[in-house]
Amino acid sequence: FPVCDWLPKYNWRKFGARDVVVGITLAFVIAPKAMAHALLAELPPIYGVYTAFFSTLIYGIMGTSKWLSVGTAALPALLFGEALL
């Protein structure tokens, strides 16, 4: 896993506080967005929260790009919502 390569080299003193602030800020932005996309897909909002949390967590462990946006999107949510009907 890529996390095993970069985590031991991570500079906690330099980046730790900033990364925690960024993580909290993104959680406040991504959670409502993900709940809205779940409602677009005609699913309970908690599924959107699961999608936002677990996709980001899994990519953090297994991903290799520093600049990738992981999360829900409106168009697939609409398409899935129509397919479920």
Side-chain angles (χ1 to χ4, degrees), residues 16-37:
R18 289 186 227 169
D19 285 345
V20 168
V21 171
V22 168
I24 292 169
T25 303
L26 285 176
F28 280 116
V29 172
I30 290 173
K33 175 184 168 194
M35 290 189 292
H37 289 156

Side-chain angles (χ1 to χ4, degrees), residues 52-72:
F53 177 76
F54 286 111
S55 64
T56 306
L57 179 67
I58 290 169
Y59 188 80
I61 294 169
M62 301 180 73
T64 57
S65 175
K66 295 178 186 176
W67 302 283
L68 181 69
S69 176
V70 179
T72 60

Side-chain angles (χ1 to χ4, degrees), residues 9-53:
K9 302 174 201 170
Y10 184 77
N11 188 344
W12 291 97
R13 290 179 191 247
K14 185 174 181 182
F15 300 117
R18 289 186 227 169
D19 285 345
V20 168
V21 171
V22 168
I24 292 169
T25 303
L26 285 176
F28 280 116
V29 172
I30 290 173
K33 175 184 168 194
M35 290 189 292
H37 289 156
L39 290 173
L40 282 174
E42 300 179 12
L43 295 169
I46 193 67
Y47 287 112
V49 175
Y50 292 153
T51 302
F53 177 76

